[in-house]
Amino acid sequence: MSNFDGCQLPGVSKFSMGPARSSARGVAGQVKRLLAAPWNRHVKKWLKQAYYASIRLRGASAQQVTARSFVPAVAFDQGDWVRVRSREEILSTLDPFKELKGCAFLPEMYRYCGTQQRVLRSMRYFMDERDYRLKKVRGVILLENVICHGAATFGECDRCCFLFWREEWLEKTGTS
């Protein structure tokens, strides 16, 4: 038995038929795809370390970088109704890398700002496909039927991955 029994990810290379033609063509599209390559996470990590080091040299903490962050008053449970905070409220919590505590706020998520959604579950673990490891997570919520439909860099994607939402971006409005 392998560590991945019950997960299809390790077999993707065996049943896929090679790379698909991307809808993002031209030089700009090629540069975007290159920057989104897996090795780029190391460059991004280095840039973040340099950025936060410069902030510490100026006497500020990483927490002071974001204008404010909302702390949920109660835990989110499956079936709870939540309101996704407004675009302005969410943007005020993000660092220059458009992240809060490492969780990115993607352009596709803007369409859900100000809407009512139901909590699918509060995450505790997820499979990181970059290194095929199970990772712990805290403060991340999955919402029912709120999925990614592809990124502008790569074009449409039929995988339908759930978008990760920080608790700070949601406001509890009721229960099931």
Side-chain angles (χ1 to χ4, degrees):
M1 278 202 145
S2 75
N3 291 338
F4 301 109
D5 286 343
C7 183
Q8 292 179 330
L9 285 175
V12 168
S13 61
K14 296 174 188 160
F15 66 79
S16 69
M17 298 182 304
R21 180 172 276 169
S22 174
S23 60
R25 301 212 173 147
V27 175
Q30 290 175 0
V31 169
K32 285 181 180 180
R33 282 191 304 278
L34 179 66
L35 291 175
W39 61 266
N40 190 42
R41 73 175 183 213
H42 302 294
V43 174
K44 189 174 180 183
K45 183 178 179 180
W46 178 82
L47 288 172
K48 285 181 183 180
Q49 288 172 344
Y51 173 77
Y52 287 114
S54 72
I55 287 174
R56 280 192 298 277
L57 288 174
R58 289 182 276 160
S61 71
Q63 266 60 14
Q64 293 169 327
V65 174
T66 56
R68 64 178 181 217
S69 71
F70 300 96
V71 179
V74 290
F76 294 98
D77 297 316
Q78 185 173 358
D80 286 348
W81 284 96
V82 295
R83 180 184 72 85
V84 178
R85 294 187 186 274
S86 71
R87 181 180 184 144
E88 294 76 25
E89 288 175 304
I90 292 173
L91 288 175
S92 73
T93 68
L94 304 179
D95 66 15
F97 303 98
K98 293 190 171 58
E99 295 178 352
L100 175 62
K101 300 178 184 176
C103 185
F105 191 80
L106 306 175
E108 184 170 345
M109 297 167 83
Y110 288 124
R111 76 167 98 176
Y112 299 104
C113 289
T115 64
Q116 295 281 330
Q117 303 293 333
R118 269 182 84 158
V119 172
L120 177 67
R121 73 174 37 175
S122 181
M123 292 181 63
R124 295 184 308 145
Y125 304 97
F126 72 96
M127 172 63 83
D128 187 343
E129 298 167 21
R130 297 171 300 182
D131 58 7
Y132 294 112
R133 291 187 183 194
L134 194 63
K135 307 256 173 111
K136 285 184 179 182
V137 67
R138 184 178 17 199
V140 177
I141 306 294
L142 297 181
L143 301 175
E144 285 184 7
N145 302 315
V146 178
I147 56 174
C148 177
H149 296 285
T153 304
F154 301 108
E156 280 188 48
C157 175
D158 295 328
R159 192 157 166 208
C160 300
C161 301
F162 283 100
L163 295 169
F164 289 10
W165 296 87
R166 289 287 319 167
E167 290 178 338
E168 293 87 348
W169 301 335
L170 306 172
E171 180 180 22
K172 194 170 185 177
T173 59
T175 57
S176 52

